[in-house]
Amino acid sequence: MPIQISIVVPAYNESARIGRTLEDVLRIIAERQWDAEVLVVNDGSTDNTAAIVQGFMASHPRLRLIENPGNRGKGYSVRHGMLEAIGNIVMFTDADLSAPMEEAERLFAAIQNGADVAIGSRWLDRGRQTVHQPLYRQFFGRCFNAVTRMVMNLPFADTQCGFKAFTRPAARTIFQLQRIERWGFDPEILFIAIKRGYRVQEVPVTWGHDERSRISYLKDGIKMLEELVYVRWNALTGVYSREVKEYPVEIPATKF
């Protein structure tokens, strides 16, 4: 029987929290009795992130460590993991688990009800936020989202939440076409999903801000704006309309 769910966790120098993250993820898998694999994608970490994951692997055969060829970025890491995943539903979550792993059931329910892509949202129900971002982060985040909605014509309240799930066929198509390798990949994959005709559902999730977040809204925000233009160029030149590889293994529908 194929693995039903794949959970991808991109990780760069996460030694301070990857152990706790894996404990939480593996605990929820056991409690919910999910038929699941976990893939940690090590993005060229210079600390002992890989060694910690390998320690867990000794007692968890469905935990896999995938190595990037050096530090390539979050977008590359997510794509690498999603294309290596063998589950019928594939999702990715940030290593800080800002959205608790239990909330994945909300994404799975959306897919069970017909969505091809389910994306977690911090803004559809702000009452679900347990730890709020500082005001300056909220301001820059909302401004970036507003610009993204305008430039990319994306109808979502939150494009950047690192908590998204996909059916296997949708993931295989979207992530083969993804080109952005760093922070700006989220709007790109949503743009591709809509362009390819997939049904995307936004789902409110419980979420708590982690002060250790590495994103800089000034430096990275400027880069992400450049990447929005790059996405538009790719769309104009037909990059997202190309054929993708077919995968011969047919995975039966997941049942929850």
Side-chain angles (χ1 to χ4, degrees):
M1 173 65 68
I3 291 174
Q4 300 289 295
I5 303 167
S6 295
I7 302 167
V8 174
V9 184
Y12 173 67
N13 286 348
E14 291 289 355
S15 60
R17 55 188 175 187
I18 193 64
R20 177 62 181 273
T21 295
L22 290 176
E23 288 175 357
D24 287 350
V25 170
L26 294 168
R27 174 180 55 82
I28 293 301
I29 289 173
E31 289 178 358
R32 301 299 197 272
Q33 298 184 328
W34 294 343
D35 188 9
E37 66 169 354
V38 181
L39 299 83
V40 177
V41 184
N42 183 30
D43 190 27
S45 297
T46 56
D47 62 6
N48 64 336
T49 294
I52 294 172
V53 177
Q54 289 167 342
F56 278 85
M57 289 168 61
S59 56
H60 295 89
R62 284 188 171 180
L63 172 61
R64 300 163 58 191
L65 176 66
I66 299 174
E67 296 282 0
N68 284 348
N71 177 244
R72 296 293 297 271
K74 183 181 178 183
Y76 183 97
S77 301
V78 170
R79 181 179 65 200
H80 192 178
M82 299 295 271
L83 292 178
E84 288 282 340
I86 60 176
N88 194 31
I89 290 179
V90 292
M91 68 166 292
F92 68 87
T93 181
D94 288 340
D96 60 10
L97 292 185
S98 290
M101 201 63 230
E102 298 94 320
E103 295 292 276
E105 290 186 328
R106 301 175 66 83
L107 303 182
F108 301 157
I111 289 178
Q112 185 182 31
N113 290 329
D116 301 297
V117 180
I119 65 173
S121 177
R122 298 163 289 185
W123 304 114
L124 282 184
D125 182 0
R126 296 190 63 181
R128 300 184 69 89
Q129 293 190 20
T130 57
V131 180
H132 292 274
Q133 291 178 308
L135 289 178
Y136 78 94
R137 280 186 172 268
Q138 292 187 40
F139 174 76
F140 282 112
R142 297 308 292 269
C143 286
F144 176 78
N145 193 66
V147 172
T148 300
R149 287 164 62 102
M150 179 178 65
V151 174
M152 309 281 286
N153 196 28
L154 295 175
F156 309 114
D158 188 356
T159 60
Q160 297 302 118
C161 184
F163 200 65
K164 296 179 173 69
F166 306 74
T167 63
R168 180 183 174 87
R172 287 296 185 185
T173 297
I174 292 166
F175 288 95
Q176 283 187 70
L177 294 171
Q178 177 198 336
R179 294 294 180 268
I180 293 174
E181 296 188 348
R182 294 196 178 271
W183 296 107
F185 80 99
D186 283 285
E188 182 189 30
I189 60 176
L190 295 178
F191 183 89
I192 295 169
I194 291 175
K195 185 171 183 61
R196 300 293 293 214
Y198 292 116
R199 179 186 170 194
V200 183
Q201 182 173 339
E202 193 169 15
V203 179
V205 294
T206 299
W207 185 85
H209 174 66
D210 191 325
E211 286 292 343
R212 295 169 292 183
S213 173
R214 295 189 177 95
I215 190 169
S216 165
Y217 276 107
L218 182 58
K219 181 180 69 174
D220 296 319
I222 292 173
K223 179 63 177 176
M224 285 190 284
L225 291 176
E226 294 175 359
E227 289 169 341
L228 296 184
V229 176
Y230 180 52
V231 171
R232 275 298 186 185
W233 174 253
N234 284 342
L236 285 172
T237 55
V239 170
Y240 302 136
S241 300
R242 295 174 182 170
E243 292 186 6
V244 296
K245 294 179 182 178
E246 296 291 337
Y247 288 80
V249 179
E250 187 69 25
I251 307 294
T254 299
K255 297 180 181 179
F256 295 95

